[in-house]
């Protein structure tokens, strides 16, 4: 006969913590606590297999269940010395759901089950408290009617309010036994009216109805939604726990509460939680009364006048402290405990791993390693890499009110508040006088860089996760919400419309770049603290990982930040970003708009010393760590002058006619700049540009002794790379001649076009390394513009067509396949080919795990994501090692 029921807490306990798949998390942990000898009220668990069977078989129970429930119930009766439905001192039970993983508040619970018009009298007798007995009864009828019979809870609450009004009292506590009794009778009338059947008086009928209701609650819409959001399989089903009731509401020596074994906000190693004297569990959650502190220290810190449990119930509190130690030692993690004190005696009703903030998770994991509870590798596995973001950027105070007026993409994490400005210059001016501002633009362009830098945060109405604003903001560590399509921005008249309201430069807003939210007004933020624990955890992660982690950085500031975050080199220096400064953009425009080679060379000559200085500084900061410098890859439209003024300025600098220049600019306008004259195509048509850059790189290398990696962008065809490599080699030879030192260097390429991925073997013959540009590879594999995806990708995700934004998390099936093919074919042709990734995916944990799996050498991401990538790389290595161990 199959086993459907497992007992705990009585004469025998059948389950264990490891059986959570069968018994649910709650049931398995109740069994485990009973085995440890902790005071668990006896009960039994109906397994998740019954739930699965129930749904598979037209909502019928499996054969044998009834007998097993009867036997288990008899054992509970024996253990507590009371009878279910008994006329004297009756046994009451709770019936609760319990899935494999906790789904807080998603499924149903019934308390005080077993009460009827007869047993309530017996309870009044045995407890010596009529008011308690009748209050318990009405609570049961209310809960049961709601959960098992589907009667609207509100109907009962209304009756209570009417009665209180009639009596002229405020609080439930002002009602007496007769009031509750009368209300209960009224509740039963409501049940009859609503359901057409009398309220079930027979305790066994109540029990089976409640078990069925809890099983059905697995499939309520809210439970299904929760599972979808948390990737919990529908097939798991819930267990049902039936347990003897203990009462926290039977008098002054009774209480109920919730305790965390450590502080879930800070991670401090101190008991934390709340309790309510003379109350039932639901009262703590419902917030009807203000709960009191557990410890005297906490009561003092909160300035509470109510006594802490430590003072009011010292003995039960001492038991609770013992229990805390036992549970933590046993479960090897911070626990979230539910307890009840009945007549001075402590009972534990639930334990589970407690939810916690990133800060607390870090501190707890490190403390547990330090006291020898867990190994460093386990601590590394316990921290969600993405959660480190909370530790690296300012975050919004979770207690603060949020007046959300719009939503966009969470383009660059962190929270920032400030006055609205509409231009980069205004941002710079305001910042110069110490004012915090948010730069609000339809989209940003290279001319906005100084303003983006000066602002606390950036909001754009257009652009995706890899738009200019998003990429630059992430690189700078500025908070950014991009593509907030519902926000209307009129830069001319300096107004912004959002959420039906008008904002001007007199208004302040807050953006949360981690959530993609735009809020009216200023909201308090919390500054991160990089404590010693952070460094320790990262050191353990570094020991575990195989993948190297580099940063995408071009300015000295970014490079320094990258090193501070533990980057082991620069994986992508986007040289076009080095021309954003006002004085440089002019020479850059001059170069792009030059009519002929001579004009271009003249402009390039102005840029050469600046580039050389940039590289020298970068090499010095990186102190011999690898630095990959990518030759110019400007989507031309980002650099063309837009206004008459800008055109005139370039014309003056170049000494040419403005009208002619304007005409040339118009000719350079492209229908589709992202697929236009950019990347190595520029180097093919105008080789003198790459020649100048190679010269600047090699002169800087000769000066500093660095060994640069020179990278060619947007290669599709092997011979493109060969042609450009020839220019690079020739320039290196020339610099060697002139300086007398031969710079060491390597030449490699970005793989960011599907054709390049497929032709990797051919391309590898001219490349010593590949760096996967998964931003462009995603754009070209999907045929979705990086800059325009915001308008429709949301619908794709919501509609379940794509699981994620593929610009954020690598599309492993498609784009990943191209990466895999290129890695295999490239290494097949050149076994020592070095492989890395420098698209935004290099800082995304799931993508990092994929990179580990296919054997890349390194990932490169924006500086602020370096710790996330280090941790994700460590976890990927540890998971792989765990799997290997299992296989051998
Ligand atoms: C890429 O395409 O992934 C890449 C890193 O280059 P960029 O974002 O500069 O086009
Ligand atoms: Mg690219």
């Amino acid at each position: 006969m199959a086993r459907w029921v497992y007992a705990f807490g009585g004469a025998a306990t059948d389950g264990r913590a490891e059986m959570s798949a069968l018994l649910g998390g709650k049931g398995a942990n109740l069994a485990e606590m009973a085995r440890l000898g902790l005071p668990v009220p006896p009960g039994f668990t109906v397994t998740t297999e019954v739930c699965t069977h129930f749904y598979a078989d037209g909502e019928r129970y499996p054969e044998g269940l009834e007998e097993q429930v009867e036997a288990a119930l008899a054992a509970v009766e024996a253990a507590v010395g009371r009878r279910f439905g008994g006329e004297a001192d009756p046994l009451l039970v709770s019936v609760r759901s319990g899935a494999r993983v906790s789904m807080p508040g998603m499924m149903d619970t019934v308390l005080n089950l077993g009460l009827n018009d007869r047993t309530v009298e017996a309870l009044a007798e045995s407890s010596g408290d009529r008011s308690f007995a009748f209050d318990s009864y009405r609570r049961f009828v209310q809960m049961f009617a709601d959960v098992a019979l589907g009667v609207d809870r509100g109907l009962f609450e209304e009756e209570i309010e009417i009665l209180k009004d009639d009596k002229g009292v405020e609080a439930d506590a002002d009602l007496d036994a007769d009031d509750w009794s009368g209300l209960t009778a009224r509740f039963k009338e409501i049940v009859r009216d609503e359901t057409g059947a009398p309220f079930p008086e027979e305790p066994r009928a109540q029990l089976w109805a409640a078990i069925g209701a809890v099983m059905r609650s697995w499939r309520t819409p809210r439970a299904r939604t929760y599972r979808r959001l948390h990737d919990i399989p529908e097939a798991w089903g819930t267990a049902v726990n039936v347990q003897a009731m203990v009462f926290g509401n039977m008098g002054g020596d009774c209480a109920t509460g919730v305790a965390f074994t450590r502080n879930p906000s800070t991670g401090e190693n101190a008991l934390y939680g709340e309790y309510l004297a003379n109350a039932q569990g639901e009262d703590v959650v419902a917030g009807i009364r203000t709960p009191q502190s557990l410890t005297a220290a906490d009561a003092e810190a909160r300035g509470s006048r109510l006594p802490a449990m430590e003072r009011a119930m010292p003995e039960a509190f001492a038991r609770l402290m013992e229990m805390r130690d036992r549970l933590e030692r046993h479960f090897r993690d911070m626990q979230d405990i539910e307890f009840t004190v009945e007549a001075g005696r402590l009972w534990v009703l639930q334990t589970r791993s407690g939810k916690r903030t990133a800060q607390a998770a870090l501190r707890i994991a490190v403390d547990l390693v330090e006291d020898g509870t867990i190994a460093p590798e386990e601590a590394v596995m316990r921290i969600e890499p993405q959660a480190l973001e909370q530790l690296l950027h300012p975050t919004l105070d979770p207690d603060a009110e949020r007046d959300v007026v719009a939503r966009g993409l969470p383009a660059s994490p962190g929270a920032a508040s400030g006055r609205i400005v509409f231009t980069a210059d205004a941002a710079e001016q305001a910042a110069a006088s110490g004012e915090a501002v948010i730069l609000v633009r339809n989209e940003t362009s290279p001319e906005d860089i100084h303003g983006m830098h000066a602002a606390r945060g950036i909001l754009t109405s257009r652009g995706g996760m890899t738009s200019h604003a998003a990429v630059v903001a992430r690189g700078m560590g500025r908070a950014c919400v991009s593509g907030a399509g519902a926000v209307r921005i009129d830069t001319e008249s300096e107004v912004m419309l959002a959420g039906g309201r008008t904002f001007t430069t007199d208004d302040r807003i807050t953006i949360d770049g981690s959530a993609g939210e735009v809020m009216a007004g200023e909201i308090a933020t919390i500054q991160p603290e990089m404590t010693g624990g952070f460094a320790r955890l990262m050191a353990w992660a570094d020991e575990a990982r195989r993948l190297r982690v580099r940063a995408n950085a071009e300015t000295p500031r970014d490079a320094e930040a990258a090193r501070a975050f533990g980057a082991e080199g620069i994986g992508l220096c986007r040289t076009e970003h080095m021309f954003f400064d006002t004085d440089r953009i002019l020479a850059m425009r001059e170069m792009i708009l030059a009519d002929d080679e001579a004009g271009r060379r003249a402009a390039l000559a102005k840029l050469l010393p600046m580039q050389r200085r940039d590289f020298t500084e970068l090499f010095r900061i990186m102190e011999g760590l690898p630095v990959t410098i990518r030759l110019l890859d400007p989507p031309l439209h980002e650099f063309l002058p837009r206004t008459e003024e800008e055109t005139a300025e370039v014309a003056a600098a170049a000494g040419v006619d403005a009208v002619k220049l304007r005409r040339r600019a118009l000719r350079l306008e492209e229908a589709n700049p992202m697929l236009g004259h950019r990347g190595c195509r520029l180097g093919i048509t105008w080789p003198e540009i790459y020649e100048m850059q190679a010269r600047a790189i090699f002169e800087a290398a000769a000066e500093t002794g660095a060994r640069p990696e020179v990278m060619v962008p947007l290669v599709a065809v092997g011979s493109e790379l060969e042609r450009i490599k020839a220019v690079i080699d020739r320039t290196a030879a020339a610099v060697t001649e002139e300086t007398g030192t031969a710079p060491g260097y390597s030449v490699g390429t970005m793989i960011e076009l599907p054709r390049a991925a497929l032709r990797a073997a051919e391309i590898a013959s001219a490349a010593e390394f590949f760096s996967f540009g998964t931003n462009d590879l995603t754009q070209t594999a999907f045929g979705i513009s990086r800059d325009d995806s915001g308008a429709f990708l949301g619908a794709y995700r919501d509609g379940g067509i794509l699981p994620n934004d593929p610009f954020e998390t690598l599309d492993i099936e498609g784009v990943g396949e191209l990466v895999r093919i290129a890695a295999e074919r490239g290494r097949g042709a050149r076994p020592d080919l070095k492989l890395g990734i420098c698209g935004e995916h290099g800082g995304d944990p799931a993508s990092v795990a994929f990179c580990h799996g296919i054997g890349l050498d390194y990932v490169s991401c924006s500086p602020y994501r370096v710790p996330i990538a280090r941790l994700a790389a460590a976890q990927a290595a540890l998971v792989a090692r765990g799997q290997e161990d299992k296989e051998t």
Side-chain angles (χ1 to χ4, degrees), residues 33 37-42 243-248 253-259 271 274-276 294 309-310 313-327 337-350:
M33 289 194 290
L38 294 173
V40 176
Q243 189 175 23
M245 285 292 303
V246 286
F247 293 98
D253 57 355
C254 299
T256 183
V258 175
L271 186 77
E274 294 177 321
Y275 85 113
L276 268 178
L294 295 180
M309 182 179 175
E310 187 173 3
M313 301 183 151
E315 271 177 33
F317 180 79
R319 295 288 92 73
L320 183 63
M321 290 298 278
E322 284 165 24
M323 198 185 298
R324 161 181 185 243
D325 292 344
R326 284 289 294 282
L327 286 174
I337 308 167
E338 276 176 28
F339 66 89
T340 285
V341 179
E342 184 187 76
R345 182 156 176 214
L346 180 75
W347 294 93
V348 58
L349 302 178
Q350 171 163 312

Side-chain angles (χ1 to χ4, degrees), residues 225 248 270 448 709 729 766:
T225 306
D448 294 325
E709 301 171 343
D729 290 340

Side-chain angles (χ1 to χ4, degrees), residues 572 574 576 630 633 674 678 713-714 750-752 772-777 779 786 838-839:
L572 174 63
R574 289 179 166 106
E576 62 280 3
R630 183 177 72 185
D633 176 17
M674 270 293 187
R678 62 176 280 225
L714 223 70
M750 304 271 300
I751 299 288
E752 50 186 343
F772 291 99
T774 44
N775 301 334
D776 275 310
L777 196 57
Q779 167 168 265
R786 290 162 66 164
C838 64

Side-chain angles (χ1 to χ4, degrees), residues 26 94-98 108-109 111 214 239-241 243 338 349:
K26 187 194 291 252
S94 64
V95 181
R96 294 175 206 254
S97 60
D108 290 329
T109 290
L111 302 178
V214 168
V240 183
N241 298 293
Q243 189 175 23
E338 276 176 28
L349 302 178

